[in-house]
Amino acid sequence: MRKPNVSEATNEFIGLAIQCEHSEQPSFAGQTYIGAAKCEALAGNHLGEAEQYLAAARQFIKAEAKLLALKFHSPDRENLEAAIGCYLQALSKYPDKSPIRTSILMELANNLVSLNHKLEAVTYYEEALEIVNDSTMKLMYMRNLLNLLIDCGKYDNALQLANTIFDSNKHIPDGVLTEIQVSRVLLTLLVKPDEGDKIDSLKQLFDDLMNDTESEAIPFNIDLKLKLQSIIICSTVGDLQSLISVAPDTKPYLTSHQADLLHAIVYRTERL
């Protein structure tokens, strides 16, 4: 009998997987790509194996998204767990500091966010951050993670990360710096850390802001500065009506995540 040809088997699996894709059967396509990955493993082609696991993961994500669109809920999360497993299998085929690992982790995290598993995505964002060396990319990923933590209601963690972003980056573009500093102000009003727990740069931010001190660390226009001052005072003294009054005029200056923080501040003040 002829010895089985692993390359032929791989091609057969890939061909079948493509057929499944064309017939809108992503779960079957995912399983078939796993078959191709195992063939690549037998042939000792680890990069090919990783490629097939990634193809499988993307099909399982597609299957999960399809169920979500139809408002079906799978308590066992078969497709999602299969996708995560395949991403992690692909991840294991690359060296620890490989930029491809970063790309895989970010793809997994972004897919989890799109499927509304945001808290689960945080772990993979954090793993990706540990690998990134480029300062611009790192700043972008940290900013994305900050917004994700805000989405998840993890305000303590978000404030800690926002402080880290400010303190660890020497050259932050003004637009990004404004966004980070506004978020730090709003998060501080929500978290209400003890004065002794505030890091020096956070104390300085509030001092400069409330005393109208000119500083490169707060590149705010005058309108935004005045509105933040009002929010700080209203929140500190618990003046709900004034806070409700200033909020609509402030929102045009805020990102959607910051607008959510402001809403949370108003809600918390209302509950006091």
Side-chain angles (χ1 to χ4, degrees):
M1 292 180 66
R2 184 169 67 93
K3 183 179 179 180
N5 187 311
V6 176
S7 178
E8 286 179 12
T10 303
N11 291 334
E12 288 288 334
F13 273 119
I14 293 171
L16 183 56
I18 292 170
Q19 287 181 35
C20 291
E21 286 187 58
H22 289 163
S23 58
E24 294 295 323
Q25 298 181 79
S27 289
F28 289 117
Q31 293 291 352
T32 314
Y33 277 123
I34 288 175
K38 290 179 177 178
C39 288
E40 294 283 24
L42 281 174
N45 182 7
H46 299 306
L47 294 184
E49 181 186 0
E51 184 181 340
Q52 301 310 322
Y53 273 124
L54 282 176
R58 289 162 184 157
Q59 290 303 307
F60 287 125
I61 289 292
K62 187 176 179 181
E64 185 69 13
K66 196 174 179 181
L67 288 178
L68 191 65
L70 295 170
K71 301 192 184 309
F72 287 140
H73 174 66
S74 172
D76 295 328
R77 309 192 334 164
E78 297 96 337
N79 290 312
L80 187 59
E81 292 298 334
I84 293 171
C86 287
Y87 274 120
L88 296 182
Q89 283 281 3
L91 199 66
S92 69
K93 308 304 170 188
Y94 294 96
D96 288 345
K97 296 299 181 181
S98 169
I100 297 176
R101 285 178 65 90
T102 307
S103 299
I104 293 171
L105 286 165
M106 291 304 297
E107 182 178 323
L108 171 53
N110 289 333
N111 279 326
L112 286 169
V113 169
S114 71
L115 295 169
N116 207 29
H117 294 284
K118 295 179 180 179
L119 193 56
E120 204 168 342
V122 168
T123 301
Y124 299 108
Y125 266 110
E126 290 173 339
E127 282 189 44
L129 268 172
E130 291 177 8
I131 304 171
V132 179
N133 290 318
D134 180 78
S135 58
T136 303
M137 292 288 289
K138 199 175 190 75
L139 177 60
M140 183 184 73
Y141 287 164
M142 292 175 87
R143 183 185 180 192
N144 289 345
L145 179 57
L146 173 60
N147 289 331
L148 183 56
L149 289 168
I150 291 171
D151 272 345
C152 295
K154 297 293 184 181
Y155 301 136
D156 291 79
N157 302 62
L159 177 57
Q160 185 178 356
L161 178 59
N163 288 335
T164 301
I165 293 172
F166 177 79
D167 287 341
S168 63
N169 288 275
K170 302 300 182 188
H171 304 289
I172 305 177
D174 278 357
V176 178
L177 179 58
T178 298
E179 181 182 328
I180 298 303
Q181 294 291 60
V182 171
S183 293
R184 291 174 86 201
V185 169
L186 297 175
L187 284 164
T188 301
L189 296 178
L190 269 175
V191 175
K192 296 185 181 298
D194 292 335
E195 195 63 26
D197 292 333
K198 291 180 183 176
I199 62 172
D200 290 342
S201 68
L202 188 60
K203 292 177 184 176
Q204 191 67 52
L205 169 60
F206 275 81
D207 286 346
D208 289 347
L209 183 56
M210 297 309 293
N211 293 314
D212 282 324
T213 305
E214 292 295 326
S215 169
E216 291 182 358
I218 48 172
F220 305 154
N221 67 48
I222 188 64
D223 288 337
L224 176 58
K225 185 181 287 189
L226 289 171
K227 286 170 174 56
L228 287 174
Q229 288 171 345
S230 296
I231 290 168
I232 292 168
I233 294 168
C234 295
S235 176
T236 303
V237 302
D239 185 348
L240 177 62
Q241 290 309 313
S242 296
L243 194 56
I244 290 172
S245 177
V246 75
D249 292 333
T250 308
K251 285 185 179 178
Y253 297 93
L254 306 179
T255 67
S256 60
H257 295 91
Q258 291 166 348
D260 289 342
L261 290 175
L262 181 55
H263 177 76
I265 291 168
V266 173
Y267 177 76
R268 187 166 293 182
T269 305
E270 191 175 20
R271 303 270 296 179
L272 291 176

